[in-house]
Amino acid sequence: MTKCDKTLFQSLKILLKVTKMPDQKTTSEKKLVKKPNYADILCGMGESRVMFRWRSSLWKLLWQELLAYTATFILISMVYRYTLTMEQQVQLEKLIRWCRHQSTGLPITFLLGFYVSLVVKRWWEQYCKLPWPDTIAIFLKGLVVGPPGEKRVMARVVRRTIIRYCILAYILCIRQLSVRLKKRFPTMHELIKTGIVRADEMVRIGDEESVNVFASNWWMPLKWAIEILQKAQRDGLVTNAPGYSHMLGRISEYRAGLSEVATYVHLPVPLVYTQVVHLAVYVYFAVSLIGEQWVIWR
């Protein structure tokens, strides 16, 4: 028995194991309890509720810096008004006017606008390059059919095994880049529990504990998928030669999409430009601590 025969046999056992009767409810079919959204409760369902969201929001990201800036600004204002003498206040007012004049020359708008547009462009391109296994599933449904009888069942096993390998490659690649996916599948044993990978396949792939995606074997399930597709052609389950060639191209495009997404993450915006933007922002707000003070009217 070849490796492909063993793989198909094990996949058939998994398929029969996880298939349940229609009256049996699985965990995924249970109703999920949706947590209340307090932003919607406080602000209604209008567009204003977006400003009060906390998860992945600007407030969660910058609340420490905003608190430190506000406290420093108030401290300087208190010192200026209640602890300095009249002569010292006059000198500080000259410094305030000078800082206010100098802060208008910083190209903060241009730097931030270009930087934000670059980051948003990279984020959108990463999303557009994410491959979808649905296209492969549609082509498999029309390509791997087989005659009625036992081969029809084997064709269905072949289709499900190839899709399972595509999803496994997707998870192994993206879980090193996505925090949410890493929490969902922290180890390979979690993948075994879901039935996405078998124990013997996990041994061949490895533990996948490295944070470097280029040291990962996430591409190996796609190699197995091609081997199963080749065996299906030899067994007569795939009779259309152009369709077989096109199917191999689709799997190659699927792998290329995952590789491009991983490359985007590991090749970020150049560090020099990031440092320039951060330095400009910190200098601007440091000058604003003095330049934006309210001068005592005399």
Side-chain angles (χ1 to χ4, degrees):
M1 184 179 290
T2 62
K3 291 183 178 179
C4 291
D5 293 332
K6 294 179 179 179
T7 301
L8 292 176
F9 181 70
Q10 294 290 341
S11 299
L12 182 59
K13 290 175 61 179
I14 293 177
L15 177 62
L16 295 175
K17 183 179 179 180
V18 301
T19 303
K20 296 181 179 293
M21 298 298 293
D23 57 342
Q24 293 178 344
K25 292 185 177 181
T26 59
T27 305
S28 60
E29 295 174 346
K30 296 180 180 179
K31 293 183 178 180
L32 298 178
V33 179
K34 185 178 179 181
K35 296 182 179 179
N37 195 326
Y38 297 104
D40 295 340
I41 296 176
L42 293 175
C43 305
M45 300 301 293
E47 294 297 331
S48 59
R49 71 182 188 275
V50 178
M51 299 300 296
F52 291 89
R53 293 188 182 274
W54 177 255
R55 185 176 181 181
S56 302
S57 65
L58 179 67
W59 320 120
K60 183 178 180 180
L61 184 64
L62 297 177
W63 73 270
Q64 295 177 339
E65 289 82 356
L66 180 61
L67 182 62
Y69 179 85
T70 305
T72 306
F73 187 90
I74 295 176
L75 179 62
I76 294 176
S77 179
M78 294 297 103
V79 171
Y80 162 60
R81 282 169 168 75
Y82 300 109
T83 62
L84 299 182
T85 62
M86 180 66 68
E87 183 179 355
Q88 292 174 339
Q89 287 180 351
V90 172
Q91 296 297 325
L92 183 59
E93 289 168 3
K94 293 181 180 180
L95 178 61
I96 291 173
R97 293 187 180 92
W98 182 84
C99 291
R100 187 176 300 171
H101 176 73
Q102 294 298 324
S103 63
T104 58
L106 290 175
I108 189 68
T109 305
F110 171 76
L111 290 176
L112 282 181
F114 183 77
Y115 186 77
V116 170
S117 64
L118 178 62
V119 172
V120 172
K121 180 183 177 182
R122 285 174 55 87
W123 168 78
W124 180 247
E125 288 179 351
Q126 288 180 45
Y127 172 76
C128 293
K129 291 183 181 297
L130 283 173
W132 293 84
D134 306 62
T135 305
I136 297 179
I138 293 173
F139 276 93
L140 284 174
K141 180 60 179 177
L143 182 65
V144 185
V145 181
E150 183 181 356
K151 285 194 173 183
R152 182 67 60 87
V153 178
M154 292 302 299
R156 183 176 61 177
V157 175
V158 168
R159 294 195 302 266
R160 294 193 177 189
T161 304
I162 293 177
I163 292 300
R164 179 170 66 87
Y165 283 153
C166 290
I167 295 176
L168 176 60
Y170 189 99
I171 293 175
L172 293 179
C173 180
I174 303 300
R175 71 189 284 265
Q176 302 190 26
L177 316 175
S178 173
V179 178
R180 297 186 64 180
L181 196 58
K182 183 67 175 180
K183 291 180 179 179
R184 176 63 181 86
F185 302 106
T187 61
M188 293 292 290
H189 296 284
E190 295 294 330
L191 291 172
I192 295 178
K193 294 178 181 179
T194 58
I196 299 177
V197 64
R198 301 197 310 267
D200 60 321
E201 294 172 344
M202 186 199 73
V203 174
R204 297 172 63 184
I205 295 175
D207 294 333
E208 292 293 313
E209 297 296 336
S210 176
V211 295
N212 185 8
V213 71
F214 297 107
S216 171
N217 292 325
W218 62 265
W219 50 268
M220 192 172 292
L222 298 179
K223 173 177 172 291
W224 299 339
I226 293 178
E227 292 176 353
I228 291 178
L229 194 61
Q230 290 174 347
K231 185 180 183 301
Q233 187 190 32
R234 291 194 300 267
D235 294 343
L237 300 178
V238 180
T239 58
N240 190 331
Y244 171 76
S245 177
H246 188 76
M247 193 69 246
L248 294 180
R250 287 290 179 176
I251 296 178
S252 300
E253 292 176 0
Y254 189 85
R255 183 191 183 282
L258 291 176
S259 300
E260 289 179 354
V261 172
T263 304
Y264 261 94
V265 175
H266 285 271
L267 292 178
V269 180
L271 180 62
V272 175
Y273 190 75
T274 304
Q275 291 176 339
V276 168
V277 172
H278 279 76
L279 182 62
V281 171
Y282 282 120
V283 170
Y284 175 81
F285 281 100
V287 173
S288 298
L289 285 174
I290 304 297
E292 297 298 329
Q293 291 291 334
W294 295 342
V295 179
I296 299 176
W297 183 82
R298 305 184 190 283

